[in-house]
Amino acid sequence: MTNHRVHFTRSGRTLDIPDDAIILEHALRNGLDLPYGCQGGSCGTCMVAVKGEVFGWGRAISDEDRANGYALICSSYALSDLEIEA
Ligand code: FES
């Protein structure tokens, strides 16, 4: 397991998130107040702009959004240090 440093630009918080932890769950457990709905990749509420590398799944995001640097953080692992617009 590796931790990645994840900075949330709007909240101004930085967390060390293990690469086997779902980003949204980890952030909520650590007191961040982030928008989410289904937590299952199907509603799109948790979609944010991300700089860095994530492994993501979930059907509420298009290939185009992924290519443009968006991710569903309820359905993503961090694969590098990240900057998340949230
Ligand atoms: S919370 Fe619904 S897609 Fe992430």
Side-chain angles (χ1 to χ4, degrees):
M1 185 196 71
T2 306
N3 281 334
H4 296 295
R5 184 141 289 212
V6 179
H7 180 61
F8 292 82
T9 56
R10 289 192 194 141
S11 323
R13 295 273 312 274
T14 301
L15 301 175
D16 287 324
I17 302 188
D19 58 7
D20 63 352
I22 291 177
I23 296 169
L24 176 68
E25 282 178 9
H26 193 88
L28 294 174
R29 267 202 306 273
N30 284 278
L32 269 83
D33 183 19
L34 300 172
Y36 66 94
C38 68
Q39 290 191 270
S42 58
C43 73
T45 310
C46 69
M47 188 156 71
V48 290
V50 174
K51 280 189 198 141
E53 209 184 331
V54 297
F55 173 74
W57 59 97
R59 58 190 159 88
I61 186 168
S62 65
D63 290 344
E64 193 183 342
D65 284 335
R66 276 188 218 282
N68 287 327
Y70 288 87
L72 301 172
I73 54 171
C74 76
S75 306
S76 297
Y77 296 131
L79 298 183
S80 70
D81 290 350
L82 302 177
E83 207 170 271
I84 293 182
E85 210 174 280

